[in-house]
Amino acid sequence: MTVGVASWTAVGPLRLTGSQQAASSQDAPAAVTEPAHEHSSAPAAPAGPEPTQSAAKKSPTRSASPSSSSHQGNHPKPVPGDYVLAENPVTGVTPSTKTPPRKAHREFQANCSVSHRRDDDPIVFFNKPGASHNHTFMGNTTTKANSTTESLLAGSTLCRVPGDRSGYWMPTVFDGDRAIEPTGPQVIYYKSGVRDYTSVRPFPVGLRYLVGSPTTTAEQFAKAPGYQKGWECGDSYDNVDFPATCRSGSQLNIRMQAPSCWDGKHLDTPDHISHIVYPVDGVCPKTHPVAVPMLEFKMAFPVSGDTSKVRLASGRGFTFHYDFYNAWDAPTLNALVTHCINAGRQCDARGYSQFEPEAGAALDEHYQVPGSRKVLDRGGWTATASGVSRGSEPAKMLDGDPRSRFTSGTPMVDGQSVTVDMRSARSVSGISLLSNGSDYARRYQVYLSNDGSNWGSPVASGPGAETIAADFAPRNARYIRVVQTGSASNWWSVAEFVAFTR
């Protein structure tokens, strides 16, 4: 895979000082400014409730911005510091003022599960482990303080699309001292934030930014352009802070939208936000003319009943914020943006719209760009399993008929496995498991071996789904083993097992 990334050293991105920045980009200002209509002084602190605790270990410039209408949080304006330049800047772009035919939806979903928690933030506190408040990380399983574009691209992911190795993270939600993590794949929408949805371009690889701030006041949070009805649970909506109670059995939800107008020059700026702003009346400003996808986090936390002790690692509910570090496979993201956002469709993670089934999907049944991966010929392969239901032998997952399937014969428990012998060593870069209905692996790990005895560490892992697509760095191996690591009353079934090479 060839992608355009910023220059990197052994310890991270090549960051330019203000003088170096000016020399390398003549028209890049030391502190990014915007049109006058986008600026206002920071609003006064509200008379309402303020945080009872400060945001632990927060950065003094986490949400610095030249415009309180674009971002919230009380911080000084950015000063010349370290910039990360795009290797292939986008120039000569005029913000589109066109109004294409109205489409109710212009979006696709990224479904990504929680992978881990850390007191890290590789954007704000790069290479400083433990310097941040606690974050809940989704998507890329390797995200940590010293993560770079290159390390993320080489990592594994818990997103449904294996080509999405992006890092997504947010402050951890606590109920008292107990961490509350979202259950299962969460919905991260990729939408058009501008009126002309045909003008939206894919993110450049390596772009990173912050949305919101841990120092946001209640008033700023409610007036922020990314605010979307605040916290919700049961019949309680539009809450700036956490509601004191949630109907039993309900869940706590939050939605927040990101800016979507990029300056076309920087993958990052000193305050981590000045290079990307919100559109004004559906049009990008001339200083940030490049329309990119608008992210919308839609998070669901399994907590209900008495929520009086619910808090964020950053403080009160109105300090919610999130971070994004783009590490998509460029052709995969381009296919989804073109097929879904630019065409005005409402798509799932595969780029399929149930309202336009005749249009097909952007990705194939393995969540890959059609033709981008070579399917290995399964002729002569054999398969075994840790447990088998009579008449549903493992060979049936290699027969090319999705109507026949291997079945475990017992409810799912941690440790059940299937092993495929490809009869000779070959380069493998991914697998796909197709199941039927709810009999899919609840979680899984993928192992490779040359001798069938020494397996080493898993090359991929993740949550279950009816179609599991796991992508990893190419490795030579003869044997592939998939271990089911969850539990369920259903038997484990696999209708088709497919392996890929690049």
Side-chain angles (χ1 to χ4, degrees):
M1 175 175 62
T2 302
V3 295
V5 298
S7 299
W8 295 86
T9 68
V11 295
L14 173 63
R15 296 185 178 274
L16 306 182
T17 63
S19 59
Q20 290 172 317
Q21 159 71 7
S24 62
S25 181
Q26 244 182 352
D27 57 347
V32 178
T33 57
E34 302 169 29
H37 69 271
E38 285 199 301
H39 289 259
S40 64
S41 58
E50 289 301 310
T52 56
Q53 61 184 56
S54 61
K57 303 179 182 177
K58 63 179 177 287
S59 165
T61 59
R62 180 177 178 92
S63 192
S65 172
S67 170
S68 62
S69 66
S70 293
H71 300 276
Q72 63 268 28
N74 291 315
H75 302 286
K77 291 183 179 180
V79 296
D82 51 350
Y83 292 77
V84 180
L85 297 176
E87 186 175 87
N88 299 303
V90 178
T91 59
V93 175
T94 301
S96 176
T97 58
K98 296 179 182 178
T99 303
R102 185 182 181 280
K103 298 284 188 177
H105 300 281
R106 301 145 341 247
E107 65 187 42
F108 66 89
Q109 295 182 20
N111 299 137
C112 303
S113 296
V114 170
S115 59
H116 59 288
R117 292 189 295 111
R118 281 179 178 267
D119 293 340
D120 287 357
D121 189 324
I123 296 178
V124 177
F125 295 108
F126 175 71
N127 221 18
K128 296 180 180 179
S132 172
H133 53 250
N134 194 255
H135 283 110
T136 295
F137 291 85
M138 296 176 292
N140 199 299
T141 62
T142 69
T143 314
K144 54 186 177 181
N146 63 353
S147 289
T148 63
T149 302
E150 291 175 329
S151 72
L152 293 175
L153 288 171
S156 58
T157 183
L158 295 188
C159 293
R160 184 158 289 163
V161 177
D164 183 8
R165 297 185 181 88
S166 301
Y168 306 91
W169 60 96
M170 58 191 169
T172 298
V173 172
F174 289 92
D175 187 358
D177 294 327
R178 181 171 62 95
I180 305 295
E181 295 182 357
T183 302
Q186 296 300 291
V187 178
I188 301 169
Y189 289 107
Y190 280 63
K191 299 184 175 185
S192 172
V194 294
R195 186 165 61 242
D196 183 5
Y197 51 86
T198 67
S199 68
V200 176
R201 304 174 183 224
F203 293 120
V205 176
L207 180 72
R208 70 215 73 161
Y209 57 82
L210 316 179
V211 182
S213 166
T215 64
T216 302
T217 65
E219 181 179 0
Q220 288 172 329
F221 182 70
K223 292 182 178 180
Y227 180 86
Q228 294 292 306
K229 299 299 182 183
W231 292 95
E232 306 174 349
C233 67
D235 298 323
S236 181
Y237 301 96
D238 208 4
N239 297 289
V240 172
D241 204 349
F242 296 120
T245 60
C246 289
R247 188 183 65 214
S248 179
S250 64
Q251 59 186 5
L252 196 58
N253 302 295
I254 181 73
R255 288 190 296 156
M256 181 182 284
Q257 294 180 342
S260 57
C261 295
W262 179 45
D263 67 6
K265 305 171 186 175
H266 303 98
L267 300 179
D268 198 6
T269 44
D271 63 356
H272 314 297
I273 57 173
S274 291
H275 53 308
I276 188 164
V277 300
Y278 289 90
V280 178
D281 296 327
V283 177
C284 286
K286 293 180 180 179
T287 54
H288 297 72
V290 184
V292 292
M294 179 195 73
L295 297 189
E296 179 180 302
F297 263 38
K298 185 179 181 181
M299 304 290 109
F301 301 91
V303 59
S304 64
D306 180 6
T307 56
S308 60
K309 295 183 179 180
V310 173
R311 60 183 175 87
L312 294 172
S314 55
R316 297 276 287 275
F318 45 79
T319 69
F320 182 79
H321 55 282
Y322 62 87
D323 304 55
F324 170 65
Y325 199 135
N326 178 41
W328 274 86
D329 167 66
T332 304
L333 179 60
N334 182 68
L336 287 163
V337 169
T338 302
H339 186 78
C340 300
I341 296 178
N342 296 155
R345 297 189 176 103
Q346 183 181 21
C347 297
D348 60 14
R350 221 189 116 201
Y352 173 80
S353 171
Q354 63 178 331
F355 302 107
E356 295 185 50
E358 69 282 358
L363 307 179
D364 63 22
E365 64 272 24
H366 308 293
Y367 291 84
Q368 311 274 2
V369 175
S372 63
R373 300 290 189 271
K374 179 182 177 182
V375 178
L376 292 174
D377 182 359
R378 297 180 294 180
W381 292 13
T382 60
T384 57
S386 57
V388 180
S389 174
R390 181 173 296 181
S392 299
E393 290 75 18
K396 293 194 173 181
M397 63 184 183
L398 302 174
D399 64 3
D401 184 357
R403 295 169 298 180
S404 66
R405 56 182 181 169
F406 147 75
T407 301
S408 63
T410 58
M412 278 183 263
V413 295
D414 185 1
Q416 291 171 325
S417 66
V418 294
T419 303
V420 171
D421 180 358
M422 298 184 288
R423 311 306 295 177
S424 63
R426 57 191 69 197
S427 178
V428 184
S429 63
I431 67 160
S432 175
L433 299 182
L434 173 64
S435 297
N436 294 312
S438 58
D439 54 359
Y440 56 83
R442 290 308 188 259
R443 294 193 67 84
Y444 70 90
Q445 293 178 331
V446 181
Y447 294 84
L448 301 178
S449 173
N450 280 312
D451 58 12
S453 299
N454 298 297
W455 296 94
S457 301
V459 295
S461 62
E466 189 166 347
T467 298
I468 290 174
D471 202 12
F472 43 84
R475 285 262 306 271
N476 285 328
R478 171 175 170 173
Y479 300 89
I480 305 173
R481 175 170 290 171
V482 180
V483 179
Q484 198 287 127
T485 60
S487 62
S489 59
N490 306 73
W491 294 2
W492 180 27
S493 298
V494 180
E496 287 297 305
F497 180 107
V498 179
F500 305 95
T501 187
R502 293 181 184 176

